[in-house]
Amino acid sequence: MEYQKKEIRIFQNGRTVNDQFYIDGDYNVPEAKRDVGKIILSNGMLRVEEMKQVESYLKVSGKLEFKVLYMADEMVPVPASLEGRIPFEEMIYLEQEPEGNLVLQTSDTEVTVTMIHSRKLNIKTLAEISIGTEKCTGEEVTTDVEGKVPVFKKMKEEEILKVFATGKDTYRIKEEVTLSGTKEHIGTLLWTDVTGGKADTQLGTDELLISGELNMFCLYETAEGKTDWISRTVPYEGQIECMGVMPGMYHQSELHLTDINVEPRMDENGEMRILGIEATLQVRLIVYEEEKIQILEDLYMLDHICIPEVKEKRFFRLKLQNHSKCRISEELTLPELKEDILQICHCKGKIQMETVKAETDGVHIDGVLHLQFLYVREDDQTPFGVWNGMVPFSYLLENGGGEPDMEDMDCTVEQLSVNLMGSGEVEVKAVLAFNCFQKEPVQIQNIESAEFRPMDTEELESRPGIVGYFVQQGDTLWNLAKKYNTTVENIKEVNYMEKEGINKGDKILIFKQNLGIL
């Protein structure tokens, strides 16, 4: 027998390991920087440079990159900033041998900076990372079988989601922002914060189309020594070559913004009124296509006993790809800021999903929006202050029913604004975007091969010349034909049946001549 097989590539995520650890180090203020008087704002990010398995552990090493905005310790305090790096190394215990490639999924930091004295700072960081595994494998399914003697086959059609391509690439973002006419030109940049906002990817012909927005904030000192700031939403768009992909295919994409750089540039009049923004968008892409495949479900012969070797295999079909948004509108009363706040300069947010539960009506998400805003104070000695807090949210992401495997979910703060209402009250408005790629498992009893043994001729001849049969619950013409060594077409012909459907209690006849070898 010759078996025809088809390979289907599938993508699977493995176990995820979550780890928390502390980074604690002292940092000497560079000589070129002003003495530190009071810390205003700090943040940091982990740059993982190496992940290496060492026996039952995973060694993760890299650097903590941090920035500090502070008031200088001078007769007339002015804002100043510094940035630095602290190396780290963490050993993470692996409960079992990872299957597939190790992937850094998320990393998060909470940085606390305290003064030891004006030339030395202590940097304490609670870092959290999630590391998962992923693999792309090929599984074969039997689609047909051919032999020198007649083989009766039952086919089943399945719609399978198969991997077309996977890969990593980068897209370079290069944009410029021009100061409005009311702003004074730039002397020195004090603090920059560029984060990713709304982002969208679409498949074109041989390319991945990318469009999105950057949320940019820049605090600067003018040439006259004044402090000013600019906040903008900066759109960008471009494409990455991806040969063979076409519109209509499905895809998962993960975008990560790195290597961000903001620098002042001269305009056509020779004044520093332009901010140049450069960043690298790291893209991880999985492209899928759906295919209807005829799979060999069962087989038999009239003159041989057939013993198939069956192996269960697991594939997937697409449940749905869902892009939905949750809107938040909340008024917060902050009595501690009632007499202190003059103006809000900049705000940023981060989503923390606390529970994600798939149920029959959809995916229920409960979490909090971590909120931070920088504001102007009445105190000339410390003209800036920072408020940190949380806004809870609950959201139902509709999925059409059922409890599919949650293959991937990511969330982004697309829009965020904090407006001062007076009397210590602020209004928070945000749009949270949730992108889900949901799959359902498809279990296939795949016939790997079959053993054929000759039938006992005497047994065939001893059977009755006619069989009258009352249809039982679950019977099919295929099962009866296989049991009595005949064919579906012969049973239909004898019983004058146009279709294959039968019901419990129906009486059908099977004649002796249909039991013989064709």
Side-chain angles (χ1 to χ4, degrees), residues 156-215:
K156 181 180 181 180
E157 185 178 79
E158 289 283 5
E159 191 170 53
I160 302 296
L161 190 68
K162 65 178 187 178
V163 175
F164 176 80
T166 63
K168 299 179 182 179
D169 210 332
T170 57
Y171 173 71
R172 293 291 299 177
I173 299 174
K174 295 183 179 181
E175 301 292 340
E176 289 188 341
V177 174
T178 302
L179 271 62
S180 63
T182 59
K183 296 288 184 180
E184 296 187 32
H185 57 270
I186 302 167
T188 305
L189 295 184
L190 298 173
W191 184 267
T192 59
D193 188 14
V194 178
T195 58
K198 180 180 179 181
D200 182 53
T201 57
Q202 294 183 354
L203 292 178
T205 303
D206 297 328
E207 62 182 1
L208 176 71
L209 305 175
I210 302 172
S211 61
E213 295 176 345
L214 300 177
N215 299 317

Side-chain angles (χ1 to χ4, degrees), residues 310-323:
V310 179
K311 181 179 179 181
E312 185 175 80
K313 294 190 175 182
R314 190 171 190 253
F315 298 95
F316 298 93
R317 70 168 62 95
L318 182 66
K319 171 69 176 180
L320 65 89
Q321 191 166 12
N322 190 318
H323 302 272

